[in-house]
Amino acid sequence: MSDTVESVIVAIDGPSGTGKSSTSKAVAAKLGLSYLDTGAQYRAITWWMITNGVDVADADAVASAAGKPAILSGTDPSHPTITVDGLDASGPIRTQDVTSKVSAVSAVPEVRERITELQRTIAASAVQGIVVEGRDIGTTVLPDADLKIFLTASPEARAARRSGELKGADVHTTREALIKRDAADSSRKTSPLAKADDAVEVDTTDLTLQQVIECVVTLIEEKRADT
């Protein structure tokens, strides 16, 4: 198997707990591609709103502030970074407060427009190609991506993984939170969580992370061979 792949844009979508981030980073590192966690960008703008006293329940207020924060994403899969107004936000954006409010902020059209433009710019500038993971990459952000993959898993498997990441979190509570987040993301009017018609669906419920990584690498190599 080749350790490098010529420029290719890969969109990996799916709900939380399917192994999206771990898979995307590992695949990008293995194939010498850039990597972009689009969810981190939405978390970053949410964190900025909270920090700056914007009422995230007020869509008009969020819309008015959407263009203010300077968000910069590093695309090295071995060390992805994100800064907001020059400050390292990689830790703060993972707090429960941000997690509970990111769906509301992400649903505001002006926020999605701002972040989508940012994502497209990053993808276009990735000379060696890029793996972009999120919820609307294949459908909205990069509809012309060379390969689109949609990861799924049972709510139980996703909750078990996510509660393990959160260390000590109750699995049942985590499962309910994931289902609520899915409903919010899937039903929003602007760029909802959805599988692109031409995406390859991979159910990760009974697969190890390594198996998922190998599956995605194979799909990318097959795509390159066909072009």
Side-chain angles (χ1 to χ4, degrees), residues 58-136:
D58 182 345
D60 290 336
V62 171
S64 296
K68 294 182 179 179
I71 299 171
L72 183 63
S73 297
T75 58
D76 179 352
S78 62
H79 185 58
T81 58
I82 186 158
T83 63
V84 181
D85 293 342
L87 300 174
D88 177 13
S90 55
I93 65 172
R94 301 297 172 183
T95 63
Q96 185 55 44
D97 191 28
V98 171
T99 298
S100 66
K101 295 172 180 173
V102 67
S103 285
V105 173
S106 300
V108 176
E110 288 81 357
V111 170
R112 298 208 74 81
E113 183 178 338
R114 161 88 198 283
I115 300 298
T116 294
E117 181 181 350
L118 182 60
Q119 292 162 0
R120 287 174 176 162
T121 299
I122 293 170
S125 63
V127 179
Q128 299 301 319
I130 191 168
V131 176
V132 183
E133 58 125 325
R135 285 172 166 75
D136 65 339

Side-chain angles (χ1 to χ4, degrees), residues 89-226:
S90 55
I93 65 172
R94 301 297 172 183
T95 63
Q96 185 55 44
D97 191 28
V98 171
T99 298
S100 66
K101 295 172 180 173
V102 67
S103 285
V105 173
S106 300
V108 176
E110 288 81 357
V111 170
R112 298 208 74 81
E113 183 178 338
R114 161 88 198 283
I115 300 298
T116 294
E117 181 181 350
L118 182 60
Q119 292 162 0
R120 287 174 176 162
T121 299
I122 293 170
S125 63
V127 179
Q128 299 301 319
I130 191 168
V131 176
V132 183
E133 58 125 325
R135 285 172 166 75
D136 65 339
I137 309 307
T139 55
T140 302
V141 180
L142 300 170
D144 296 323
D146 298 301
L147 177 65
K148 302 173 188 178
I149 297 170
F150 193 85
L151 299 185
T152 64
S154 71
E156 291 73 23
R158 293 166 53 211
R161 292 169 185 164
R162 183 48 56 91
S163 60
E165 293 171 5
L166 299 176
K167 293 183 174 56
D170 177 70
V171 175
H172 176 73
T173 302
T174 302
R175 179 179 181 276
E176 294 305 307
L178 286 174
I179 291 174
K180 183 178 180 181
R181 173 82 188 272
D182 290 348
D185 290 348
S186 300
S187 62
R188 66 174 177 241
K189 293 182 179 179
T190 306
S191 303
L193 164 66
K195 175 189 171 188
D197 292 338
D198 53 348
V200 178
E201 184 170 323
V202 178
D203 189 333
T204 69
T205 302
D206 298 316
L207 300 178
T208 65
L209 175 59
Q210 191 56 43
Q211 287 173 323
V212 179
I213 293 168
E214 291 172 0
C215 175
V216 173
V217 167
T218 298
L219 287 170
I220 295 173
E221 294 193 325
E222 287 176 350
K223 187 67 178 180
R224 295 303 303 177
D226 290 340

Side-chain angles (χ1 to χ4, degrees), residues 21 24-36 74-80:
S21 294
S24 299
K25 280 187 284 191
V27 168
K30 190 173 188 64
L31 298 178
L33 304 173
S34 295
Y35 161 75
L36 178 61
T75 58
D76 179 352
S78 62
H79 185 58

Side-chain angles (χ1 to χ4, degrees), residues 32-61:
L33 304 173
S34 295
Y35 161 75
L36 178 61
D37 175 2
T38 64
Q41 296 176 316
Y42 284 106
R43 284 175 171 274
I45 199 167
T46 301
W47 174 66
W48 184 92
M49 297 281 177
I50 295 169
T51 304
N52 286 274
V54 178
D55 180 1
V56 299
D58 182 345
D60 290 336

